[in-house]
Amino acid sequence: EAQVTQNPRYLITVTGKKLTVTCSQNMNHEYMSWYRQDPGLGLRQIYYSMNVEVTDKGDVPEGYKVSRKEKRNFPLILESPSPNQTSLYFCASSPYPGFQETQYFGPGTRLLVL
Amino acid sequence: GDSVTQMEGPVTLSEEAFLTINCTYTATGYPSLFWYVQYPGEGLQLLLKATKADDKGSNKGFEATYRKETTSFHLEKGSVQVSDSAVYFCASYLGNTGKLIFGQGTTLQVKP
């Protein structure tokens, strides 16, 4: 089944404790992206990747890191999480960032930083 | 900058009622436009899309028409069902960066 998977689905952590949220897609997509969803703000892009070893900042990159060493994986790293990073996170992918391409979303990771 | 604005929710309707969720956009150029739906506890999935002016996207009884003159992409459905209860997001697409710009989302509750 073609899908985007994220792990973990739920995570409670404390301020300053490094964490990684994994994202993997099995559709051989070139493009991958991370969004965060907050009430009243919709989804905002954190980072995106056009292809392996190519990443760039989205609208809200502060406090996050990403890497794209393999085509299928695009982990999101929070080196020192803070309470304002409590949010619902979505990974997405598409064949390539073309004009008409649909993006496919993972199920989401709900993060609580205490 | 580019942006997408949706009507405030929640929208509460009775089953079989007519649905309209308003969406307007600002953009340099002519973006592709999308409606995504998020069912409780799930990720977003594409509902419909339109890539140029006057295009109509449709799926599962939902429709939206790309209106360049009013910069709008309103979502409509003639007869909603309880199973349509979800959060609906309008989005525009910047093709050169791959970035989707989302509206704030509109929660729809359909009561039997």
Side-chain angles (χ1 to χ4, degrees):
Chain A
E1 179 189 355
Q3 61 183 347
V4 178
T5 56
Q6 295 178 227
N7 282 292
R9 294 289 311 276
Y10 304 93
L11 180 60
I12 301 174
T13 190
V14 295
T15 299
K17 185 175 181 182
K18 181 179 179 180
L19 65 91
T20 299
V21 183
T22 65
C23 173
S24 182
Q25 50 92 6
N26 63 0
M27 296 170 279
N28 202 37
H29 286 172
E30 290 187 6
Y31 178 87
M32 297 185 74
S33 179
W34 276 103
Y35 296 88
R36 61 177 288 175
Q37 181 181 3
D38 301 291
L41 297 177
L43 279 78
R44 294 174 293 168
Q45 190 181 52
I46 303 171
Y47 269 95
Y48 64 95
S49 170
M50 298 282 202
N51 212 327
V52 176
E53 301 293 359
V54 180
T55 64
D56 210 343
K57 296 177 180 178
D59 293 323
V60 288
E62 294 79 19
Y64 304 95
K65 286 176 58 178
V66 293
S67 68
R68 187 91 181 274
K69 295 184 175 9
E70 306 167 281
K71 199 170 189 179
R72 63 182 293 130
N73 296 323
F74 190 45
L76 179 69
I77 304 158
L78 284 71
E79 295 269 2
S80 182
S82 62
N84 64 11
Q85 293 178 296
T86 292
S87 188
L88 179 57
Y89 292 87
F90 289 101
C91 181
S93 72
S94 68
Y96 49 87
F99 193 52
Q100 302 180 25
E101 287 306 318
T102 299
Q103 292 192 19
Y104 298 84
F105 284 79
T109 295
R110 189 169 292 279
L111 172 64
L112 173 62
V113 182
L114 300 174
Chain B
D2 296 353
S3 65
V4 174
T5 302
Q6 291 179 233
M7 63 187 286
E8 293 281 341
V11 174
T12 302
L13 296 174
S14 298
E15 210 165 20
E16 299 184 2
F18 184 84
L19 169 70
T20 299
I21 300 178
N22 291 336
C23 171
T24 57
Y25 68 91
T26 60
T28 51
Y30 303 106
S32 289
L33 299 173
F34 299 79
W35 278 99
Y36 280 85
V37 59
Q38 184 180 30
Y39 297 105
E42 298 183 12
L44 280 73
Q45 54 186 276
L46 179 70
L47 181 59
L48 53 84
K49 67 181 182 183
T51 59
K52 61 183 187 296
D54 300 325
D55 264 4
K56 177 185 283 189
S58 62
N59 186 28
K60 299 181 181 180
F62 291 89
E63 292 183 340
T65 301
Y66 191 158
R67 303 280 188 204
K68 186 177 70 173
E69 62 277 11
T70 55
T71 62
S72 65
F73 193 55
H74 304 323
L75 182 69
E76 297 182 336
K77 187 175 185 183
S79 176
V80 294
Q81 306 300 312
V82 172
S83 58
D84 294 326
S85 299
V87 182
Y88 292 81
F89 291 93
C90 186
S92 69
Y93 191 73
L94 297 173
N96 56 342
T97 67
K99 181 166 74 172
L100 277 167
I101 297 178
F102 285 89
Q104 63 267 52
T106 301
T107 299
L108 171 65
Q109 297 174 337
V110 181
K111 297 188 174 181

